[in-house]
Amino acid sequence: MLTFEQKQAIIESFSELTKKEISLKRLNYHYMDSLYEKTIVVEKLHPNGNGFVFVGDLLRYENEANDKGLVNIRDYDELQLREIIEDAIQYLSEEVEEQEPIVEIWNSRDGSQLQLAFEQRSWNVYHGDNLEEAFGTYEAAKEYLLEEGFRTKK
Protein backbone atom coordinates (compact mmCIF):
# COMPACT_ATOMS: atom_id res chain seq x y z
CA MET A 1 0.00 0.00 0.00
CA LEU A 2 1.24 3.47 -0.89
CA THR A 3 1.67 5.93 1.95
CA PHE A 4 -0.29 9.16 2.17
CA GLU A 5 2.78 11.08 1.02
CA GLN A 6 3.32 8.77 -1.96
CA LYS A 7 -0.33 9.09 -3.00
CA GLN A 8 -0.17 12.84 -2.57
CA ALA A 9 2.95 13.06 -4.79
CA ILE A 10 1.30 10.96 -7.51
CA ILE A 11 -1.90 12.99 -7.41
CA GLU A 12 -0.02 16.28 -7.45
CA SER A 13 1.87 15.17 -10.56
CA PHE A 14 -1.40 15.87 -12.40
CA SER A 15 -1.01 19.60 -12.99
CA GLU A 16 -4.67 19.99 -13.91
CA LEU A 17 -5.76 19.16 -10.34
CA THR A 18 -6.09 21.75 -7.59
CA LYS A 19 -5.54 20.74 -3.95
CA LYS A 20 -7.97 21.89 -1.27
CA GLU A 21 -7.50 21.07 2.40
CA ILE A 22 -10.59 19.91 4.28
CA SER A 23 -11.21 18.79 7.86
CA LEU A 24 -9.16 16.20 9.77
CA LYS A 25 -6.02 16.79 7.65
CA ARG A 26 -7.77 15.34 4.62
CA LEU A 27 -7.36 16.62 1.08
CA ASN A 28 -9.62 16.98 -1.95
CA TYR A 29 -8.27 17.47 -5.46
CA HIS A 30 -10.47 19.33 -7.92
CA TYR A 31 -10.49 19.37 -11.72
CA MET A 32 -11.58 22.95 -12.28
CA ASP A 33 -12.05 22.48 -16.05
CA SER A 34 -14.79 19.89 -15.49
CA LEU A 35 -17.68 20.19 -17.90
CA TYR A 36 -20.02 19.30 -15.05
CA GLU A 37 -20.89 20.58 -11.60
CA LYS A 38 -18.79 17.76 -10.18
CA THR A 39 -15.16 18.91 -9.92
CA ILE A 40 -13.72 16.67 -7.20
CA VAL A 41 -11.54 13.92 -8.67
CA VAL A 42 -9.83 12.75 -5.46
CA GLU A 43 -12.02 12.99 -2.39
CA LYS A 44 -11.08 12.83 1.29
CA LEU A 45 -7.49 11.63 0.92
CA HIS A 46 -6.64 10.85 4.54
CA PRO A 47 -3.22 10.59 6.24
CA ASN A 48 -4.01 6.91 6.92
CA GLY A 49 -3.92 6.29 3.15
CA ASN A 50 -7.64 6.06 2.62
CA GLY A 51 -9.33 8.12 -0.07
CA PHE A 52 -11.70 8.01 -3.01
CA VAL A 53 -11.62 8.81 -6.72
CA PHE A 54 -14.77 9.81 -8.59
CA VAL A 55 -15.43 7.63 -11.64
CA GLY A 56 -19.17 8.20 -12.01
CA ASP A 57 -20.71 5.42 -14.05
CA LEU A 58 -17.63 4.26 -15.95
CA LEU A 59 -18.25 0.60 -16.69
CA ARG A 60 -14.59 -0.25 -16.05
CA TYR A 61 -15.17 0.44 -12.34
CA GLU A 62 -18.76 -0.77 -11.92
CA ASN A 63 -17.73 -3.50 -9.47
CA GLU A 64 -15.63 -1.13 -7.37
CA ALA A 65 -17.60 2.12 -7.34
CA ASN A 66 -20.18 2.86 -4.67
CA ASP A 67 -23.59 4.37 -5.46
CA LYS A 68 -22.04 7.85 -5.59
CA GLY A 69 -19.52 6.78 -8.25
CA LEU A 70 -16.56 6.74 -5.84
CA VAL A 71 -13.82 4.11 -5.73
CA ASN A 72 -11.78 3.53 -2.57
CA ILE A 73 -8.06 3.81 -3.42
CA ARG A 74 -6.64 2.67 -0.08
CA ASP A 75 -4.90 -0.42 -1.54
CA TYR A 76 -4.09 0.98 -4.98
CA ASP A 77 -0.54 0.84 -6.30
CA GLU A 78 1.04 3.66 -8.32
CA LEU A 79 -0.05 2.37 -11.72
CA GLN A 80 -3.64 1.79 -10.59
CA LEU A 81 -3.80 5.23 -8.99
CA ARG A 82 -2.49 6.98 -12.11
CA GLU A 83 -4.91 5.08 -14.34
CA ILE A 84 -7.99 5.82 -12.26
CA ILE A 85 -7.12 9.53 -11.99
CA GLU A 86 -6.58 9.72 -15.76
CA ASP A 87 -9.94 8.01 -16.29
CA ALA A 88 -11.67 10.40 -13.86
CA ILE A 89 -10.24 13.49 -15.55
CA GLN A 90 -11.23 12.18 -18.98
CA TYR A 91 -14.71 11.38 -17.65
CA LEU A 92 -15.18 14.95 -16.44
CA SER A 93 -13.79 16.31 -19.73
CA GLU A 94 -16.08 14.52 -22.17
CA GLU A 95 -19.25 15.96 -23.56
CA VAL A 96 -22.25 13.72 -23.05
CA GLU A 97 -24.24 13.10 -26.19
CA GLU A 98 -27.64 14.71 -26.05
CA GLN A 99 -30.37 12.12 -25.82
CA GLU A 100 -34.02 11.96 -25.00
CA PRO A 101 -34.32 12.22 -21.24
CA ILE A 102 -35.40 9.14 -19.34
CA VAL A 103 -37.92 10.02 -16.65
CA GLU A 104 -39.81 7.79 -14.23
CA ILE A 105 -42.38 8.78 -11.63
CA TRP A 106 -42.17 6.94 -8.29
CA ASN A 107 -44.96 7.05 -5.69
CA SER A 108 -45.16 6.19 -2.01
CA ARG A 109 -48.19 4.78 -0.20
CA ASP A 110 -48.85 8.16 1.43
CA GLY A 111 -49.11 9.82 -1.99
CA SER A 112 -45.68 11.42 -2.12
CA GLN A 113 -44.14 11.53 -5.54
CA LEU A 114 -40.52 11.58 -6.71
CA GLN A 115 -39.14 11.83 -10.19
CA LEU A 116 -36.15 9.76 -11.34
CA ALA A 117 -34.39 11.30 -14.34
CA PHE A 118 -31.29 10.26 -16.28
CA GLU A 119 -29.34 13.44 -17.02
CA GLN A 120 -25.71 13.83 -18.07
CA ARG A 121 -24.53 10.39 -16.95
CA SER A 122 -26.30 10.36 -13.61
CA TRP A 123 -29.61 9.23 -12.23
CA ASN A 124 -31.15 12.13 -10.31
CA VAL A 125 -34.02 11.91 -7.84
CA TYR A 126 -36.18 15.03 -7.66
CA HIS A 127 -38.88 16.14 -5.27
CA GLY A 128 -40.59 18.77 -7.36
CA ASP A 129 -37.78 20.96 -8.70
CA ASN A 130 -35.42 20.08 -5.84
CA LEU A 131 -32.63 17.56 -6.37
CA GLU A 132 -32.77 15.04 -3.53
CA GLU A 133 -30.04 12.54 -4.51
CA ALA A 134 -27.84 11.67 -7.48
CA PHE A 135 -26.53 8.22 -8.38
CA GLY A 136 -24.06 6.82 -10.89
CA THR A 137 -26.25 3.87 -11.84
CA TYR A 138 -29.93 3.14 -12.31
CA GLU A 139 -29.66 0.16 -9.94
CA ALA A 140 -28.33 2.36 -7.11
CA ALA A 141 -31.12 4.92 -7.64
CA LYS A 142 -33.76 2.17 -7.79
CA GLU A 143 -32.44 0.57 -4.58
CA TYR A 144 -32.58 3.95 -2.81
CA LEU A 145 -36.16 4.59 -3.94
CA LEU A 146 -37.32 1.11 -2.94
CA GLU A 147 -35.69 1.46 0.48
CA GLU A 148 -37.49 4.78 0.93
CA GLY A 149 -40.82 3.08 0.21
CA PHE A 150 -41.40 4.26 -3.36
CA ARG A 151 -42.67 2.17 -6.26
CA THR A 152 -43.12 2.81 -9.95
CA LYS A 153 -45.64 1.51 -12.46
CA LYS A 154 -43.96 0.05 -15.53
Coordinates of all heavy atoms in Angstrom, one line a residue, residues 64-146:
E64 N -16.4 -1.8 -8.5 CA -15.6 -1.1 -7.4 C -16.3 0.1 -6.8 O -16.1 0.5 -5.7 CB -14.2 -0.7 -7.8 CG -13.3 -1.9 -8.2 CD -12.0 -1.4 -8.8 OE1 -11.2 -0.9 -7.9 OE2 -11.8 -1.4 -10.0
A65 N -17.0 0.8 -7.7 CA -17.6 2.1 -7.3 C -18.8 1.9 -6.5 O -19.6 1.0 -6.7 CB -18.0 2.9 -8.6
N66 N -19.0 2.9 -5.5 CA -20.2 2.9 -4.7 C -21.3 3.6 -5.4 O -21.1 4.0 -6.6 CB -19.9 3.5 -3.3 CG -19.6 4.9 -3.3 OD1 -19.8 5.7 -4.3 ND2 -19.0 5.4 -2.2
D67 N -22.4 3.8 -4.8 CA -23.6 4.4 -5.5 C -23.4 5.9 -5.8 O -24.2 6.4 -6.5 CB -24.9 4.1 -4.7 CG -24.9 4.7 -3.3 OD1 -23.9 5.3 -2.9 OD2 -25.9 4.6 -2.6
K68 N -22.4 6.4 -5.3 CA -22.0 7.8 -5.6 C -21.0 7.9 -6.7 O -20.5 9.0 -7.0 CB -21.6 8.6 -4.3 CG -22.6 8.6 -3.2 CD -23.3 9.9 -3.1 CE -24.1 9.9 -1.8 NZ -25.3 10.5 -2.0
G69 N -20.5 6.8 -7.2 CA -19.5 6.8 -8.3 C -18.1 6.9 -7.7 O -17.2 7.4 -8.5
L70 N -17.9 6.6 -6.5 CA -16.6 6.7 -5.8 C -15.9 5.4 -5.6 O -16.6 4.4 -5.2 CB -16.7 7.4 -4.5 CG -17.2 8.9 -4.5 CD1 -17.6 9.3 -3.1 CD2 -16.2 9.8 -5.2
V71 N -14.6 5.3 -5.9 CA -13.8 4.1 -5.7 C -12.8 4.3 -4.6 O -12.1 5.3 -4.6 CB -13.1 3.7 -7.0 CG1 -12.1 2.6 -6.8 CG2 -14.1 3.4 -8.1
N72 N -12.7 3.4 -3.7 CA -11.8 3.5 -2.6 C -10.4 3.1 -3.1 O -10.2 2.1 -3.7 CB -12.2 2.6 -1.4 CG -11.3 2.8 -0.2 OD1 -10.1 2.8 -0.2 ND2 -12.0 3.0 0.9
I73 N -9.4 4.0 -2.9 CA -8.1 3.8 -3.4 C -7.1 3.4 -2.3 O -5.9 3.5 -2.6 CB -7.6 5.1 -4.2 CG1 -7.6 6.3 -3.2 CG2 -8.4 5.3 -5.4 CD1 -6.8 7.5 -3.8
R74 N -7.5 3.0 -1.2 CA -6.6 2.7 -0.1 C -5.5 1.7 -0.5 O -4.4 1.9 -0.1 CB -7.4 2.1 1.1 CG -6.6 1.7 2.3 CD -7.4 1.2 3.4 NE -6.6 0.9 4.6 CZ -6.4 1.9 5.5 NH1 -6.8 3.1 5.4 NH2 -5.6 1.6 6.5
D75 N -5.9 0.6 -1.2 CA -4.9 -0.4 -1.5 C -4.4 -0.3 -3.0 O -3.8 -1.3 -3.5 CB -5.5 -1.8 -1.3 CG -5.9 -2.0 0.2 OD1 -5.1 -1.6 1.0 OD2 -7.0 -2.6 0.4
Y76 N -4.6 0.8 -3.6 CA -4.1 1.0 -5.0 C -2.6 1.2 -5.0 O -2.0 1.8 -4.2 CB -4.7 2.2 -5.6 CG -6.0 1.9 -6.3 CD1 -7.0 1.0 -5.8 CD2 -6.4 2.5 -7.5 CE1 -8.2 0.7 -6.4 CE2 -7.5 2.2 -8.2 CZ -8.4 1.3 -7.7 OH -9.6 1.0 -8.3
D77 N -2.0 0.6 -6.1 CA -0.5 0.8 -6.3 C -0.4 2.1 -7.2 O -1.4 2.6 -7.6 CB 0.2 -0.4 -6.8 CG -0.3 -0.8 -8.2 OD1 -0.8 0.0 -9.0 OD2 -0.2 -2.0 -8.5
E78 N 0.8 2.4 -7.5 CA 1.0 3.7 -8.3 C 0.4 3.6 -9.7 O -0.3 4.6 -10.1 CB 2.5 3.9 -8.5 CG 2.8 5.2 -9.3 CD 4.3 5.6 -9.4 OE1 5.1 4.9 -8.8 OE2 4.5 6.6 -10.1
L79 N 0.5 2.5 -10.4 CA -0.1 2.4 -11.7 C -1.6 2.5 -11.7 O -2.2 3.2 -12.5 CB 0.4 1.0 -12.4 CG -0.2 0.8 -13.8 CD1 0.3 1.9 -14.7 CD2 0.3 -0.6 -14.3
Q80 N -2.2 1.7 -10.7 CA -3.6 1.8 -10.6 C -4.1 3.2 -10.3 O -5.1 3.7 -10.8 CB -4.1 0.8 -9.5 CG -3.9 -0.6 -9.8 CD -4.2 -1.5 -8.6 OE1 -3.6 -1.3 -7.5 NE2 -5.0 -2.5 -8.7
L81 N -3.4 3.9 -9.4 CA -3.8 5.2 -9.0 C -3.7 6.2 -10.2 O -4.6 7.0 -10.4 CB -2.9 5.7 -7.8 CG -3.3 7.1 -7.2 CD1 -4.8 7.2 -6.8 CD2 -2.4 7.4 -6.1
R82 N -2.6 6.1 -10.9 CA -2.5 7.0 -12.1 C -3.6 6.7 -13.1 O -4.2 7.6 -13.7 CB -1.1 6.8 -12.7 CG 0.0 7.4 -12.0 CD 1.3 7.4 -12.7 NE 2.4 7.9 -11.9 CZ 2.6 9.2 -11.6 NH1 1.8 10.1 -12.2 NH2 3.6 9.6 -10.8
E83 N -3.9 5.4 -13.4 CA -4.9 5.1 -14.3 C -6.3 5.6 -13.9 O -7.0 6.1 -14.8 CB -5.0 3.6 -14.5 CG -3.8 3.0 -15.4 CD -3.9 1.5 -15.5 OE1 -4.7 0.9 -14.9 OE2 -3.0 1.0 -16.2
I84 N -6.6 5.4 -12.7 CA -8.0 5.8 -12.3 C -8.1 7.3 -12.3 O -9.2 7.9 -12.6 CB -8.4 5.2 -10.9 CG1 -9.9 5.3 -10.7 CG2 -7.6 5.8 -9.7 CD1 -10.4 4.6 -9.5
I85 N -7.1 8.1 -11.9 CA -7.1 9.5 -12.0 C -7.2 10.0 -13.4 O -8.0 10.9 -13.7 CB -5.9 10.2 -11.3 CG1 -6.0 9.9 -9.8 CG2 -5.8 11.7 -11.6 CD1 -4.8 10.3 -9.0
E86 N -6.5 9.4 -14.3 CA -6.6 9.7 -15.8 C -8.0 9.5 -16.3 O -8.6 10.3 -17.0 CB -5.6 8.9 -16.6 CG -4.1 9.4 -16.4 CD -3.1 8.4 -17.0 OE1 -3.5 7.4 -17.6 OE2 -1.9 8.7 -16.8
D87 N -8.6 8.3 -15.9 CA -9.9 8.0 -16.3 C -10.9 9.0 -15.7 O -11.9 9.4 -16.4 CB -10.3 6.6 -15.8 CG -9.6 5.5 -16.6 OD1 -9.0 5.8 -17.7 OD2 -9.6 4.4 -16.1
A88 N -10.8 9.4 -14.5 CA -11.7 10.4 -13.9 C -11.6 11.8 -14.6 O -12.6 12.4 -14.8 CB -11.3 10.6 -12.4
I89 N -10.4 12.2 -14.9 CA -10.2 13.5 -15.6 C -10.9 13.4 -16.9 O -11.6 14.3 -17.4 CB -8.8 13.9 -15.6 CG1 -8.3 14.3 -14.2 CG2 -8.6 15.1 -16.6 CD1 -6.7 14.4 -14.1
Q90 N -10.6 12.3 -17.6 CA -11.2 12.2 -19.0 C -12.7 12.2 -18.9 O -13.5 12.8 -19.7 CB -10.7 10.9 -19.6 CG -11.3 10.7 -21.0 CD -10.7 9.5 -21.7 OE1 -9.9 8.8 -21.2 NE2 -11.2 9.2 -22.9
Y91 N -13.3 11.5 -17.9 CA -14.7 11.4 -17.7 C -15.3 12.8 -17.5 O -16.4 13.1 -18.0 CB -15.0 10.5 -16.4 CG -16.4 10.3 -16.1 CD1 -17.2 9.3 -16.7 CD2 -17.1 11.1 -15.1 CE1 -18.5 9.1 -16.4 CE2 -18.4 10.9 -14.8 CZ -19.1 9.9 -15.4 OH -20.4 9.7 -15.1
L92 N -14.7 13.6 -16.7 CA -15.2 15.0 -16.4 C -14.9 15.9 -17.6 O -15.4 17.1 -17.6 CB -14.6 15.5 -15.1 CG -15.0 14.7 -13.9 CD1 -14.3 15.2 -12.7 CD2 -16.5 14.9 -13.7
S93 N -14.1 15.5 -18.6 CA -13.8 16.3 -19.7 C -14.6 16.0 -21.0 O -14.6 16.8 -21.9 CB -12.3 16.1 -20.1 OG -11.5 16.4 -19.1
E94 N -15.3 14.9 -21.0 CA -16.1 14.5 -22.2 C -17.5 15.1 -22.2 O -18.2 15.0 -21.2 CB -16.2 13.0 -22.2 CG -14.8 12.3 -22.5 CD -14.9 10.8 -22.6 OE1 -16.0 10.3 -22.1 OE2 -14.0 10.2 -23.0
E95 N -17.9 15.5 -23.4 CA -19.3 16.0 -23.6 C -20.1 14.7 -23.6 O -19.8 13.7 -24.2 CB -19.4 16.7 -24.9 CG -18.8 18.1 -24.9 CD -19.6 19.1 -24.3 OE1 -20.8 18.9 -24.1 OE2 -19.1 20.2 -24.0
V96 N -21.3 14.8 -23.0 CA -22.2 13.7 -23.0 C -23.2 14.0 -24.2 O -23.7 15.1 -24.4 CB -23.1 13.7 -21.7 CG1 -24.1 12.6 -21.8 CG2 -22.2 13.4 -20.6
E97 N -23.4 12.9 -25.0 CA -24.2 13.1 -26.2 C -25.7 13.4 -25.7 O -26.1 12.8 -24.8 CB -24.3 11.8 -27.0 CG -23.0 11.5 -27.8 CD -23.2 10.3 -28.6 OE1 -24.3 10.0 -29.1 OE2 -22.1 9.6 -28.8
E98 N -26.3 14.4 -26.4 CA -27.6 14.7 -26.1 C -28.5 13.5 -26.4 O -28.4 12.9 -27.5 CB -28.1 16.0 -26.8 CG -27.5 17.2 -26.3 CD -27.9 17.5 -24.8 OE1 -29.0 17.3 -24.4 OE2 -27.0 17.9 -24.1
Q99 N -29.4 13.2 -25.6 CA -30.4 12.1 -25.8 C -31.7 12.5 -25.2 O -31.8 13.4 -24.4 CB -29.9 10.8 -25.2 CG -29.8 10.8 -23.7 CD -29.2 9.5 -23.2 OE1 -28.2 9.1 -23.6 NE2 -29.9 8.9 -22.2
E100 N -32.7 11.8 -25.6 CA -34.0 12.0 -25.0 C -33.9 11.6 -23.5 O -33.4 10.6 -23.2 CB -35.1 11.1 -25.7 CG -35.5 11.5 -27.0 CD -36.2 12.9 -26.9 OE1 -37.1 13.0 -26.1 OE2 -35.9 13.7 -27.7
P101 N -34.4 12.5 -22.7 CA -34.3 12.2 -21.2 C -35.2 11.0 -20.9 O -36.2 10.7 -21.5 CB -34.9 13.5 -20.6 CG -35.6 14.2 -21.6 CD -35.1 13.8 -22.9
I102 N -34.7 10.3 -19.9 CA -35.4 9.1 -19.3 C -36.0 9.6 -18.0 O -35.2 10.1 -17.2 CB -34.5 7.9 -19.1 CG1 -33.9 7.5 -20.5 CG2 -35.2 6.8 -18.5 CD1 -32.8 6.4 -20.3
V103 N -37.3 9.5 -17.9 CA -37.9 10.0 -16.7 C -38.9 9.0 -16.2 O -39.7 8.4 -16.9 CB -38.6 11.4 -16.9 CG1 -39.4 11.8 -15.7 CG2 -37.7 12.4 -17.4
E104 N -38.9 8.7 -14.9 CA -39.8 7.8 -14.2 C -40.4 8.5 -13.0 O -39.7 9.2 -12.3 CB -39.1 6.5 -13.7 CG -38.6 5.6 -14.8 CD -37.9 4.4 -14.3 OE1 -37.8 4.2 -13.0 OE2 -37.5 3.6 -15.1
I105 N -41.7 8.2 -12.8 CA -42.4 8.8 -11.6 C -42.5 7.6 -10.6 O -43.0 6.5 -11.0 CB -43.8 9.3 -12.0 CG1 -43.7 10.4 -13.1 CG2 -44.5 9.9 -10.8 CD1 -42.8 11.6 -12.7
W106 N -42.1 7.9 -9.4 CA -42.2 6.9 -8.3 C -43.1 7.5 -7.2 O -43.0 8.7 -6.9 CB -40.8 6.7 -7.7 CG -39.9 5.9 -8.6 CD1 -39.3 6.4 -9.8 CD2 -39.4 4.6 -8.4 NE1 -38.5 5.4 -10.4 CE2 -38.5 4.3 -9.5 CE3 -39.6 3.7 -7.4 CZ2 -37.9 3.1 -9.7 CZ3 -38.9 2.5 -7.6 CH2 -38.1 2.2 -8.7
N107 N -44.0 6.6 -6.7 CA -45.0 7.1 -5.7 C -44.8 6.2 -4.4 O -44.5 5.1 -4.4 CB -46.4 6.8 -6.2 CG -46.6 7.7 -7.5 OD1 -46.7 8.9 -7.4 ND2 -46.8 7.1 -8.6
S108 N -45.1 6.9 -3.3 CA -45.2 6.2 -2.0 C -46.6 5.9 -1.6 O -47.5 6.5 -2.3 CB -44.5 7.0 -0.9 OG -45.3 8.2 -0.6
R109 N -46.8 5.1 -0.6 CA -48.2 4.8 -0.2 C -48.9 6.0 0.3 O -50.1 6.1 0.2 CB -48.2 3.7 0.9 CG -47.8 2.4 0.3 CD -48.0 1.3 1.3 NE -47.8 0.0 0.7 CZ -47.7 -1.1 1.4 NH1 -47.9 -1.1 2.7 NH2 -47.5 -2.2 0.7
D110 N -48.2 7.0 0.9 CA -48.8 8.2 1.4 C -49.1 9.2 0.4 O -49.6 10.3 0.7 CB -48.0 8.7 2.6 CG -46.7 9.4 2.2 OD1 -46.4 9.4 1.0 OD2 -46.0 9.8 3.1
G111 N -48.8 8.9 -0.9 CA -49.1 9.8 -2.0 C -48.0 10.7 -2.4 O -48.1 11.5 -3.3
S112 N -46.8 10.6 -1.7 CA -45.7 11.4 -2.1 C -45.2 10.9 -3.5 O -45.3 9.8 -3.8 CB -44.5 11.3 -1.1 OG -44.9 11.8 0.2
Q113 N -44.6 11.9 -4.2 CA -44.1 11.5 -5.5 C -42.7 12.0 -5.8 O -42.4 13.2 -5.4 CB -45.1 12.1 -6.6 CG -44.9 11.6 -8.0 CD -45.9 12.2 -8.9 OE1 -45.9 13.3 -9.3 NE2 -46.9 11.3 -9.2
L114 N -41.9 11.2 -6.3 CA -40.5 11.6 -6.7 C -40.3 11.3 -8.2 O -41.0 10.4 -8.7 CB -39.5 10.8 -5.9 CG -39.5 11.1 -4.4 CD1 -38.4 10.2 -3.7 CD2 -39.2 12.5 -4.1
Q115 N -39.4 12.0 -8.8 CA -39.1 11.8 -10.2 C -37.7 11.3 -10.3 O -36.8 11.9 -9.7 CB -39.3 13.1 -10.9 CG -39.0 13.1 -12.4 CD -39.2 14.4 -13.1 OE1 -40.1 15.2 -12.7 NE2 -38.4 14.7 -14.1
L116 N -37.5 10.3 -11.1 CA -36.1 9.8 -11.3 C -35.8 10.1 -12.8 O -36.6 9.7 -13.7 CB -36.1 8.2 -11.1 CG -34.8 7.5 -11.4 CD1 -33.6 8.1 -10.6 CD2 -34.9 6.0 -11.3
A117 N -34.7 10.9 -13.0 CA -34.4 11.3 -14.3 C -32.9 11.0 -14.6 O -32.1 11.2 -13.8 CB -34.7 12.8 -14.5
F118 N -32.7 10.5 -15.8 CA -31.3 10.3 -16.3 C -30.9 11.5 -17.0 O -31.4 11.9 -18.1 CB -31.2 9.0 -17.2 CG -29.8 8.7 -17.6 CD1 -28.9 8.2 -16.7 CD2 -29.4 9.0 -18.9 CE1 -27.6 8.0 -17.1 CE2 -28.1 8.7 -19.3 CZ -27.2 8.2 -18.4
E119 N -29.8 12.2 -16.5 CA -29.3 13.4 -17.0 C -27.8 13.5 -16.9 O -27.3 13.3 -15.8 CB -29.9 14.6 -16.2 CG -31.4 14.7 -16.1 CD -31.9 15.6 -15.1 OE1 -31.3 15.7 -14.0 OE2 -32.8 16.3 -15.4
Q120 N -27.2 13.7 -18.0 CA -25.7 13.8 -18.1 C -25.0 12.8 -17.2 O -24.3 13.1 -16.3 CB -25.3 15.2 -17.6 CG -25.7 16.3 -18.6 CD -25.2 17.7 -18.2 OE1 -24.7 17.9 -17.1 NE2 -25.2 18.5 -19.1
R121 N -25.2 11.5 -17.6 CA -24.5 10.4 -17.0 C -24.9 10.0 -15.5 O -24.4 9.2 -14.9 CB -23.0 10.6 -16.9 CG -22.4 10.6 -18.3 CD -20.9 10.6 -18.0 NE -20.2 10.6 -19.3 CZ -19.1 11.3 -19.5 NH1 -18.5 12.0 -18.5 NH2 -18.5 11.2 -20.6
S122 N -25.9 10.7 -15.0 CA -26.3 10.4 -13.6 C -27.8 10.2 -13.5 O -28.6 10.8 -14.3 CB -25.8 11.3 -12.6 OG -26.2 12.6 -12.8
W123 N -28.2 9.4 -12.5 CA -29.6 9.2 -12.2 C -30.0 10.1 -11.1 O -29.5 10.0 -10.0 CB -29.9 7.8 -11.9 CG -29.7 6.9 -13.1 CD1 -28.6 6.3 -13.5 CD2 -30.8 6.6 -14.1 NE1 -28.9 5.6 -14.7 CE2 -30.2 5.8 -15.0 CE3 -32.1 7.0 -14.2 CZ2 -31.0 5.3 -16.1 CZ3 -32.8 6.5 -15.2 CH2 -32.3 5.7 -16.2
N124 N -30.8 11.1 -11.3 CA -31.1 12.1 -10.3 C -32.6 11.9 -9.8 O -33.5 11.7 -10.6 CB -31.0 13.5 -10.9 CG -29.6 13.8 -11.4 OD1 -28.6 13.4 -10.7 ND2 -29.4 14.5 -12.5
V125 N -32.7 12.0 -8.5 CA -34.0 11.9 -7.8 C -34.5 13.3 -7.4 O -33.8 14.0 -6.7 CB -34.0 11.0 -6.6 CG1 -35.3 10.9 -5.9 CG2 -33.5 9.6 -7.0
Y126 N -35.6 13.7 -7.9 CA -36.2 15.0 -7.7 C -37.5 14.9 -6.9 O -38.3 14.1 -7.1 CB -36.5 15.8 -9.0 CG -35.3 16.2 -9.8 CD1 -34.8 15.3 -10.8 CD2 -34.6 17.3 -9.5 CE1 -33.7 15.7 -11.6 CE2 -33.5 17.7 -10.3 CZ -33.1 16.9 -11.3 OH -32.0 17.3 -12.0
H127 N -37.6 15.9 -5.9 CA -38.9 16.1 -5.3 C -39.3 17.5 -5.8 O -38.7 18.5 -5.4 CB -38.7 16.1 -3.7 CG -40.0 16.4 -3.0 ND1 -40.4 17.6 -2.5 CD2 -41.1 15.5 -2.8 CE1 -41.6 17.5 -2.0 NE2 -42.0 16.3 -2.1
G128 N -40.3 17.5 -6.7 CA -40.6 18.8 -7.4 C -39.4 19.2 -8.2 O -38.8 18.4 -9.0
D129 N -38.9 20.5 -8.0 CA -37.8 21.0 -8.7 C -36.5 20.8 -7.9 O -35.4 21.1 -8.4 CB -38.0 22.5 -9.0 CG -39.1 22.7 -10.0 OD1 -39.3 21.8 -10.8 OD2 -39.7 23.8 -10.0
N130 N -36.6 20.2 -6.7 CA -35.4 20.1 -5.8 C -34.7 18.7 -6.0 O -35.4 17.7 -6.0 CB -35.8 20.2 -4.4 CG -36.4 21.6 -4.1 OD1 -35.9 22.6 -4.6 ND2 -37.4 21.6 -3.2
L131 N -33.4 18.8 -6.3 CA -32.6 17.6 -6.4 C -32.4 17.0 -5.0 O -31.9 17.6 -4.1 CB -31.3 17.9 -7.0 CG -30.3 16.7 -7.1 CD1 -30.9 15.6 -8.1 CD2 -28.9 17.2 -7.6
E132 N -32.9 15.7 -4.8 CA -32.8 15.0 -3.5 C -31.5 14.2 -3.4 O -30.8 14.2 -2.4 CB -34.0 14.1 -3.3 CG -35.3 14.8 -3.1 CD -35.4 15.6 -1.8 OE1 -34.9 15.1 -0.8 OE2 -35.9 16.7 -1.8
E133 N -31.2 13.4 -4.5 CA -30.0 12.5 -4.5 C -29.6 12.4 -6.0 O -30.4 12.5 -6.9 CB -30.4 11.2 -3.9 CG -30.6 11.1 -2.4 CD -29.3 11.2 -1.7 OE1 -28.2 10.9 -2.2 OE2 -29.4 11.5 -0.5
A134 N -28.3 12.0 -6.1 CA -27.8 11.7 -7.5 C -27.0 10.4 -7.4 O -26.3 10.2 -6.4 CB -27.0 12.8 -8.0
F135 N -27.2 9.5 -8.4 CA -26.5 8.2 -8.4 C -25.8 8.0 -9.7 O -26.3 8.5 -10.8 CB -27.6 7.1 -8.1 CG -28.3 7.3 -6.8 CD1 -29.4 8.0 -6.7 CD2 -27.7 6.7 -5.7 CE1 -30.1 8.1 -5.5 CE2 -28.4 6.8 -4.4 CZ -29.6 7.6 -4.4
G136 N -24.8 7.2 -9.7 CA -24.1 6.8 -10.9 C -24.7 5.7 -11.7 O -24.5 5.6 -12.9
T137 N -25.6 4.9 -11.1 CA -26.2 3.9 -11.8 C -27.7 3.9 -11.5 O -28.2 4.3 -10.5 CB -25.7 2.5 -11.5 OG1 -26.0 2.2 -10.1 CG2 -24.2 2.4 -11.7
Y138 N -28.5 3.3 -12.5 CA -29.9 3.1 -12.3 C -30.2 2.2 -11.1 O -31.1 2.5 -10.3 CB -30.6 2.6 -13.6 CG -32.1 2.3 -13.4 CD1 -33.0 3.4 -13.5 CD2 -32.5 1.0 -13.2 CE1 -34.3 3.1 -13.3 CE2 -33.9 0.8 -13.0 CZ -34.8 1.9 -13.1 OH -36.1 1.6 -12.9
E139 N -29.4 1.1 -11.0 CA -29.7 0.2 -9.9 C -29.5 0.8 -8.6 O -30.3 0.5 -7.7 CB -28.7 -1.0 -10.1 CG -29.0 -1.9 -11.3 CD -30.5 -2.4 -11.3 OE1 -31.0 -2.8 -10.3 OE2 -31.1 -2.3 -12.4
A140 N -28.5 1.7 -8.4 CA -28.3 2.4 -7.1 C -29.5 3.3 -6.8 O -30.0 3.4 -5.7 CB -27.0 3.1 -7.1
A141 N -30.0 4.0 -7.8 CA -31.1 4.9 -7.6 C -32.4 4.1 -7.3 O -33.1 4.5 -6.4 CB -31.3 5.8 -8.9
K142 N -32.6 3.0 -8.0 CA -33.8 2.2 -7.8 C -33.7 1.6 -6.4 O -34.8 1.6 -5.7 CB -33.8 1.0 -8.8 CG -34.9 0.1 -8.7 CD -34.8 -1.0 -9.8 CE -35.8 -2.1 -9.5 NZ -35.7 -3.2 -10.5
E143 N -32.6 1.1 -5.9 CA -32.4 0.6 -4.6 C -32.8 1.6 -3.5 O -33.5 1.4 -2.6 CB -31.0 0.1 -4.4 CG -30.8 -0.6 -3.0 CD -29.4 -1.1 -2.9 OE1 -28.7 -1.5 -3.9 OE2 -28.9 -1.1 -1.7
Y144 N -32.3 2.8 -3.7 CA -32.6 4.0 -2.8 C -34.1 4.2 -2.7 O -34.7 4.3 -1.7 CB -31.8 5.2 -3.3 CG -32.3 6.5 -2.6 CD1 -31.9 6.8 -1.3 CD2 -33.2 7.3 -3.2 CE1 -32.3 8.0 -0.7 CE2 -33.6 8.5 -2.6 CZ -33.2 8.8 -1.3 OH -33.6 10.0 -0.7
L145 N -34.7 4.3 -3.9 CA -36.2 4.6 -3.9 C -37.0 3.5 -3.3 O -37.9 3.7 -2.5 CB -36.6 4.8 -5.4 CG -36.1 6.2 -6.0 CD1 -36.3 6.1 -7.5 CD2 -36.9 7.3 -5.4
L146 N -36.6 2.2 -3.6 CA -37.3 1.1 -2.9 C -37.2 1.1 -1.4 O -38.1 0.9 -0.7 CB -36.8 -0.2 -3.5 CG -37.2 -0.5 -5.0 CD1 -36.5 -1.7 -5.5 CD2 -38.8 -0.6 -5.1

